[in-house]
Amino acid sequence: MRNWNAARVFTYKEIKAATNNFKEVLGRGSFGCVYLGKLSDGKMVAVKVRFDKSQLGADSFINEVHHLNL
């Protein structure tokens, strides 16, 4: 696993609960869907789930996470 610095890493179970089993789609992109979520502390979040299985997709996804964490 990469060094995510201050980024919080969630389990699949936590993400599934936060998104109410991935119920509400906010949008779709070339690498995945974005779902509305609510964390246990009440904070609203957007959760992107990557469905592109290529290395390019993985690299792009990780780069996006890194930039969002700056």
Side-chain angles (χ1 to χ4, degrees):
M1 179 176 273
R2 297 180 190 280
N3 179 4
W4 295 102
N5 297 323
R8 166 99 192 268
V9 177
F10 294 90
T11 66
Y12 181 79
K13 184 177 178 180
E14 289 172 313
I15 293 169
K16 189 174 176 183
T19 61
N20 195 19
N21 200 27
F22 305 98
K23 183 178 179 181
E24 188 172 343
V25 176
L26 296 176
R28 288 182 170 79
S30 57
F31 294 114
C33 289
V34 179
Y35 299 89
L36 178 64
K38 186 175 182 180
L39 301 179
S40 59
D41 66 1
K43 184 176 184 179
M44 301 300 289
V45 295
V47 176
K48 182 179 251 187
V49 177
R50 185 175 75 88
F51 55 67
D52 178 282
K53 300 300 182 195
S54 71
Q55 186 59 47
L56 174 62
D59 292 343
S60 178
F61 188 83
I62 290 168
N63 189 47
E64 183 176 355
V65 170
H66 173 73
H67 283 356
L68 289 170
N69 192 43
L70 295 177

